[in-house]
C-alpha cells in the first residue's frame, strides 16, 4: 500500500505541474491571437469571401455588426438580466443586434423580453416553430436564430450568462485577430447551493487537468476540443461551411459537435479565458446540477462504457483512495502511510485550488476535491445507467435519449 501511495503522489505532482503550465497556455479574450498560434492562416478563399462580403454590402457600414443570439426556454428568472447586461456593454467599435428565440416557454419569459424591448429597439424577439423530429431543442432554436442574423460575427450565449461592460469589445478584438472559425470560453461560474459549489467547478477542472489547451487551437484533430454553448462565437462563413446546427441536429452536446465540425473544415477553434468579461449561474439547486451534468457527462464521454469506467477508476484512485488510505493508516498508526496519504490529498486539493482561483472561485474550495471527485463518479454512473436502460435525460421539460 505504501508503494501505491508513493506512485500516486508522484503522479499527482506531475499533474499539478502540467495544470499550472496548461493554464498558462490559455489565450485571453481581448488579446490578439496572431502571435499565439500558426495553426490558421487565411487562405485565398478566405480573402475572396471577405471581398465578397464587402461588395455585397455586409461591410459597407463604418462598424462591423455583432449578432448576439440567445435561445430561451423557461428563462423568466434569467433573461431580463442577461439582456440588460448585453445592452449595457460598450460598443464603440461595433454595432450590435440582439436576437432572442422563445423556445416554447411556459412561464413569463416572453413578458420579460418584451419589457426590455420597450426600452431598447436593438432587441428582436422570435418564436420557435414546433420542434421537428430528429432535432434537439436548443440546436433548433439556434438554427432558427441564424436565419435572421446580419452580423459579421455571431455570438451565442445562454440566458443565464451576464456580460461585463467591455465584454463585446473584447470579444471582437479576439475575433478580428482570428479571422474565421470559432471562439468559446467558460464564463465565471457563480454558485450558491452546496452541490453547485462541489460540482460546477469540476467542469473547468477536467479541462485544465487533462486537455492540452494549446492543442485546441493548434491541432486539426477533433479530439482536441473543449467549448461551451453558454458563450460561443463563430464566423458566419465557418458556420455555413461546417453545416451549422443543421448538421448536428441530433446531438445532445451540440456545442462540442459544432466545434468538431468547424475543425473538420480546417478553420480554427480557440478555447479562451473569458472570466473577466462574462459570468453565469447555470443551476439554482442540487436537482438542476445533477440533471444538467447527468444529461451531458456520459454523452460527452462518447457513450463509451469503457471510457466511463476508466474515468471513474482514475478519479477514484487519485482523489478517493488517498482518503481511504489515510483513515486506514490512522487506525493502524502507520506513520509513513499517514504522511504519503496526506501529501497525496494535499496535492489534489492544491491543484483544484489553483484551477478554482484561475476561474474566479475562492481558494478554499479546493478542500472539496475528494467529495467533488466522488460526486462526479456518481453522476457518471447515473448518466451511464440512464443512457443504457433507455430512460434518457430530462431537461426543461424535454426528454433526450
Amino acid at each position: 500500500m505504501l508503494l501505491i501511495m508513493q506512485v500516486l503522489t508522484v503522479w499527482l505532482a506531475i499533474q499539478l505541474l502540467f495544470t499550472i503550465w496548461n493554464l498558462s497556455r490559455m489565450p485571453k479574450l481581448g488579446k490578439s491571437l496572431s502571435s499565439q498560434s500558426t495553426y490558421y492562416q487565411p487562405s485565398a478563399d478566405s480573402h475572396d469571401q471577405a471581398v465578397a462580403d464587402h461588395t455585397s454590402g455586409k461591410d459597407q457600414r463604418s462598424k462591423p455588426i455583432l449578432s448576439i443570439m440567445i435561445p430561451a426556454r423557461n428563462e423568466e428568472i434569467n433573461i431580463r438580466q442577461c439582456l440588460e447586461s448585453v445592452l449595457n456593454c460598450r460598443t464603440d467599435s461595433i454595432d450590435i443586434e440582439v436576437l432572442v428565440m422563445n423556445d416554447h416557454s411556459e412561464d413569463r419569459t416572453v413578458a420579460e423580453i418584451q419589457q426590455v424591448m420597450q426600452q431598447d429597439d436593438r432587441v428582436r424577439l422570435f418564436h420557435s416553430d414546433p420542434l421537428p423530429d430528429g432535432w434537439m431543442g436548443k440546436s433548433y432554436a439556434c438554427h432558427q436564430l441564424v436565419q435572421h442574423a446580419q452580423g459579421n460575427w455571431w455570438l451565442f450565449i445562454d440566458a443565464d450568462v451576464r456580460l461585463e461592460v467591455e465584454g463585446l469589445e473584447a470579444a471582437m478584438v479576439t475575433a478580428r485577430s482570428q479571422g474565421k472559425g470559432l471562439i468559446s470560453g467558460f464564463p465565471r461560474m457563480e454558485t450558491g447551493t452546496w452541490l453547485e459549489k462541489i460540482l460546477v467547478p469540476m467542469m473547468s477542472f477536467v479541462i485544465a487537468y487533462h486537455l492540452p489547451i494549446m492543442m485546441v487551437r493548434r491541432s486539426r484533430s477533433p479530439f482536441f476540443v473543449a467549448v461551451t454553448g453558454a458563450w460561443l462565437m463563430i464566423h458566419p462563413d465557418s458556420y455555413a461551411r461546417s453545416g451549422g446546427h443543421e448538421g448536428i441536429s441530433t446531438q445532445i452536446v451540440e456545442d462540442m459537435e459544432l466545434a468538431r465540425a468547424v475543425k473538420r473544415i480546417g478553420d480554427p477553434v480557440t478555447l479562451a479565458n473569458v472570466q473577466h468579461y462574462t459570468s453565469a449561474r447555470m443551476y439554482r439547486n442540487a436537482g438542476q446540477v445533477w440533471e444538467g451534468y447527468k444529461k451531458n457527462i456520459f454523452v460527452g464521454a462518447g457513450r463509451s462504457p469503457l471510457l466511463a469506467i476508466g474515468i471513474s477508476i482514475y478519479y477514484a484512485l487519485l482523489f478517493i483512495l488517498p482518503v481511504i488510505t489515510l483513515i486506514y493508516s490512522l487506525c493502524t498508526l502507520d506513520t509513513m502511510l499517514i504522511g504519503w496519504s496526506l501529501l497525496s490529498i494535499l496535492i489534489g486539493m492544491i491543484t483544484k485550488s489553483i484551477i478554482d482561483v484561475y476561474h474566479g472561485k475562492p481558494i478554499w474550495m479546493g478542500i472539496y476535491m475528494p467529495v467533488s471527485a466522488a460526486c462526479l463518479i456518481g453522476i457518471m454512473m447515473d448518466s451511464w445507467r440512464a443512457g443504457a436502460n433507455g430512460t434518457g435525460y430530462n431537461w426543461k421539460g424535454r426528454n433526450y435519449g
Side-chain angles (χ1 to χ4, degrees):
M1 182 62 74
L2 179 61
L3 179 60
I4 291 174
M5 289 311 304
Q6 289 171 334
V7 171
L8 283 179
T9 302
V10 171
W11 182 247
L12 282 161
I14 292 171
Q15 286 269 199
L16 170 59
L17 294 175
F18 169 78
T19 299
I20 295 170
W21 171 84
N22 201 27
L23 290 174
S24 72
R25 301 293 92 192
M26 183 177 287
K28 292 179 172 59
L29 197 71
K31 303 292 185 181
S32 172
L33 296 170
S34 58
S35 62
Q36 300 187 45
S37 172
T38 58
Y39 165 52
Y40 175 71
Q41 295 293 335
S43 63
D45 290 342
S46 299
H47 174 70
D48 291 343
Q49 179 66 39
V51 172
D53 286 347
H54 178 74
T55 56
S56 66
K58 184 181 278 189
D59 287 330
Q60 288 181 5
R61 305 181 70 168
S62 60
K63 298 179 182 179
I65 305 171
L66 176 60
S67 299
I68 299 100
M69 291 180 276
I70 309 171
R73 177 175 170 81
N74 296 336
E75 294 286 359
E76 68 171 287
I77 295 176
N78 290 310
I79 190 62
R80 187 167 187 172
Q81 287 186 325
C82 175
L83 289 171
E84 289 174 348
S85 76
V86 171
L87 297 170
N88 288 335
C89 283
R90 282 185 55 193
T91 54
D92 297 340
S93 66
I94 56 175
D95 286 328
I96 67 168
E97 59 174 4
V98 185
L99 313 178
V100 188
M101 180 61 65
N102 168 41
D103 185 9
H104 305 283
S105 296
E106 299 164 332
D107 58 7
R108 297 189 68 259
T109 296
V110 171
E112 294 292 329
I113 298 169
Q114 289 173 336
Q115 288 188 29
V116 177
M117 292 173 64
Q118 293 174 4
Q119 306 298 321
D120 199 313
D121 61 8
R122 291 176 294 176
V123 180
R124 288 191 286 162
L125 172 63
F126 303 93
H127 298 277
S128 177
D129 293 333
L131 185 64
D133 292 338
W135 277 87
M136 295 293 114
K138 183 177 180 181
S139 289
Y140 190 55
C142 292
H143 172 71
Q144 293 174 93
L145 279 170
V146 303
Q147 313 306 316
H148 305 281
Q150 301 296 315
N152 304 86
W153 275 86
W154 299 343
L155 175 61
F156 293 97
I157 63 173
D158 286 348
D160 51 25
V161 167
R162 309 289 181 263
L163 300 184
E164 301 297 330
V165 173
E166 302 292 339
L168 298 181
E169 291 280 351
M172 283 302 295
V173 168
T174 302
R176 286 187 183 111
S177 72
Q178 179 160 296
K180 294 279 186 178
L182 182 152
I183 303 166
S184 186
F186 288 84
R188 184 178 68 258
M189 294 299 177
E190 307 293 345
T191 54
T193 60
W194 64 273
L195 196 58
E196 289 177 81
K197 289 182 171 67
I198 289 171
L199 268 176
V200 170
M202 289 300 290
M203 180 165 43
S204 300
F205 179 89
V206 169
I207 293 170
Y209 204 64
H210 299 292
L211 178 69
I213 291 170
M214 61 188 287
M215 297 302 290
V216 175
R217 178 167 173 80
R218 292 188 176 182
S219 173
R220 292 178 180 269
S221 171
F223 178 79
F224 295 104
V225 65
V227 298
T228 173
W231 193 101
L232 189 150
M233 198 171 188
I234 190 168
H235 192 279
D237 179 57
S238 299
Y239 182 90
R241 291 188 295 111
S242 68
H245 286 93
E246 188 171 11
I248 55 170
S249 60
T250 62
Q251 301 297 321
I252 295 178
V253 189
E254 82 294 332
D255 44 12
M256 294 284 283
E257 294 304 324
L258 181 59
R260 292 188 178 107
V262 171
K263 277 204 166 193
R264 291 189 188 101
I265 64 171
D267 283 2
V269 173
T270 297
L271 178 65
N273 179 357
V274 304
Q275 302 291 316
H276 298 295
Y277 300 104
T278 178
S279 63
R281 186 173 180 187
M282 296 175 61
Y283 309 111
R284 296 282 172 172
N285 55 57
Q288 288 183 3
V289 175
W290 193 272
E291 290 302 319
Y293 273 76
K294 177 181 171 181
K295 176 173 70 76
N296 294 325
I297 193 168
F298 183 60
V299 176
R303 296 181 183 267
S304 168
L306 287 178
L307 185 55
I309 292 171
I311 292 171
S312 299
I313 292 174
Y314 186 73
Y315 273 67
L317 285 173
L318 288 185
F319 306 116
I320 299 175
L321 180 60
V323 177
I324 296 173
T325 305
L326 176 61
I327 295 171
Y328 169 80
S329 62
L330 287 171
C331 293
T332 60
L333 300 179
D334 187 333
T335 55
M336 286 288 289
L337 194 55
I338 290 173
W340 283 99
S341 300
L342 282 172
L343 185 57
S344 294
I345 295 169
L346 182 62
I347 293 174
M349 289 179 175
I350 290 173
T351 306
K352 186 175 184 299
S353 291
I354 290 171
I355 297 171
D356 285 345
V357 170
Y358 185 88
H359 290 95
K361 309 305 295 180
I363 190 171
W364 57 264
M365 288 180 67
I367 64 175
Y368 290 142
M369 188 66 245
V371 179
S372 297
C375 288
L376 196 68
I377 293 169
I379 290 181
M380 176 68 82
M381 294 298 100
D382 193 23
S383 182
W384 176 17
R385 178 198 58 79
N389 64 17
T391 58
Y393 313 101
N394 292 298
W395 186 247
K396 294 189 177 181
R398 286 180 174 144
N399 182 266
Y400 299 88

